[in-house]
Amino acid sequence: ISDPAESKLSVFADAANISDWATVYVDGIYQAGIMLGVSDTEFDPKGTVTKAQAATMLTRVLNIMEGGN
């Protein structure tokens, strides 16, 4: 996603806390379904990723690579 107008991150109240350089990448992984935020309204871009969250992200990436959803 290279056009900020197409970003879906505006659903998160803390989207402004995502570093400018990272916004396009975070938006891409959000739209791909790899990272979905910590709630419906919070992404927590400055938070620490837990082992469970990392495992979930890796599982989602592997599912995408295998052609699943």
Side-chain angles (χ1 to χ4, degrees), residues 32-34 56-69:
I34 297 168
T56 298
M57 289 184 282
L58 288 172
T59 299
R60 290 174 180 162
V61 168
L62 290 173
N63 285 336
I64 291 169
M65 292 175 65
E66 292 175 349
N69 292 343

Side-chain angles (χ1 to χ4, degrees), residues 1 5-6 8-9 11 14-15 17 19 22 25 31 35-37 41-42 45-48 51 57 59 64 69:
I1 308 300
E6 295 178 23
K8 306 295 184 200
L9 296 175
V11 299
D14 57 357
N17 294 333
S19 299
Y25 304 107
Q31 290 194 46
M35 292 181 75
L36 304 176
T41 59
E42 185 181 13
K46 303 293 185 190
T48 302
K51 290 177 187 176
M57 289 184 282
T59 299
I64 291 169
N69 292 343

Side-chain angles (χ1 to χ4, degrees), residues 19-47:
S19 299
D20 290 340
W21 67 266
T23 300
V24 68
Y25 304 107
V26 173
D27 190 58
I29 60 173
Y30 171 69
Q31 290 194 46
I34 297 168
M35 292 181 75
L36 304 176
V38 296
S39 75
D40 289 341
T41 59
E42 185 181 13
F43 195 84
D44 195 19
K46 303 293 185 190

